[in-house]
């Protein structure tokens, strides 16, 4: 194997066209990997994460807060920063979370779900492992929408990924982030400094979904690129009416569903002490 300097010398002795091609290939080999390996088949679909989730969730009869959070039954507030709702960290430094995937999913769908879960493994101390009779675990099921409880609930905990609208890399990550204890970015306690909520464009019965939460922001900045940020028209009163506008730059992208941002990953590691 030649060192890069030796390889470059050999390339330069070749014809100009061959030399240029090989130099380009050499450069690609030495390039750094991107932050997140996005699923390329999802890129052409421009529908933002909230539109995709909320459209799919029209079919559910569950009582959901903020569109995709199951209302808590064992605590009286939509918060999850205490040890009681965090998954336990083992002596090996890993946070092991058992899961089972319903047999209703096809082999391809199960692989897609497991692939999204494994994306947590390389960047955090979270480890999703197949269920083997543990008391607390996540049951991934094909119910009437994309939704999860906030943080660990105890016992069998349902995380719904409807086959018709939720089997996307970013949406799966979004729901598992809820299960880890993370809320939506646009409900952060400091959100009014970063986004404007256009109350006049929000369906009146849905306005409660934009209530600010008493969040622990983990000393991280507001993240427009978070997989937990809803899109511009979430809970809109009419098609195209913008309910969330970034400030001061209204053109900033929000609502992406390709994969976790760097700050999403940082927050997991901070919250769980990875």
């Amino acid at each position: 194997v030649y060192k890069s300097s030796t390889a470059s010398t050999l390339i330069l002795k070749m014809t100009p066209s061959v030399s240029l091609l090989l130099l380009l290939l050499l450069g690609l080999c030495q390039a750094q990997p991107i932050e997140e390996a996005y699923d390329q088949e999802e890129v052409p679909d421009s529908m933002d994460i909230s539109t995709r989730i909320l459209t799919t969730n029209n079919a559910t009869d569950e009582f959901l807060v903020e569109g995709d959070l199951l209302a808590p039954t064992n605590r009286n507030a939509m918060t999850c920063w205490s040890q009681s709702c965090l998954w336990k960290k083992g002596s090996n430094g890993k946070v092991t979370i058992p899961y089972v995937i319903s047999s209703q999913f096809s082999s391809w769908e199960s692989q897609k779900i497991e692939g999204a879960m494994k994306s947590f493994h390389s960047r955090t101390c979270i480890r999703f492992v197949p269920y083997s009779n543990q008391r607390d675990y996540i049951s991934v099921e094909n119910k009437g929408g994309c939704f999860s409880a906030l943080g660990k609930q105890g016992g069998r905990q349902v995380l719904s990924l409807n086959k018709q609208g939720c089997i996307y890399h970013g949406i799966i990550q979004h729901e598992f982030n809820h299960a880890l204890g993370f809320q939506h970015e646009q409900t952060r306690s400091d959100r009014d400094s970063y986004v404007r909520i256009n109350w006049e464009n929000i369906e009146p019965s849905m306005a409660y979904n934009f209530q600010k939460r008493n969040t622990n922001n983990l000393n991280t900045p507001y993240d427009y690129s978070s997989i937990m940020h809803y899109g511009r028209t979430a809970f809109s009163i009419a098609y195209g009416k913008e309910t969330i506008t970034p400030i001061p730059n209204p053109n900033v992208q929000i609502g992406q569903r390709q994969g976790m941002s760097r700050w999403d990953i940082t927050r997991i590691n901070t919250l769980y002490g990875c």
Side-chain angles (χ1 to χ4, degrees), residues 224-235:
Y224 296 107
S225 65
S226 172
I227 198 66
M228 306 309 290
H229 204 307
Y230 267 7
R232 295 174 181 274
T233 60
F235 303 102

Side-chain angles (χ1 to χ4, degrees), residues 64 68-71 146-151 157-160 174-176 178-180:
L64 302 175
D68 70 335
L69 278 168
L70 283 167
C146 326
F147 55 81
S148 170
L150 183 64
Q157 180 169 327
V158 172
L159 187 151
S160 174
H174 180 102
E175 300 306 335
F176 272 97
H178 280 321
L180 290 175

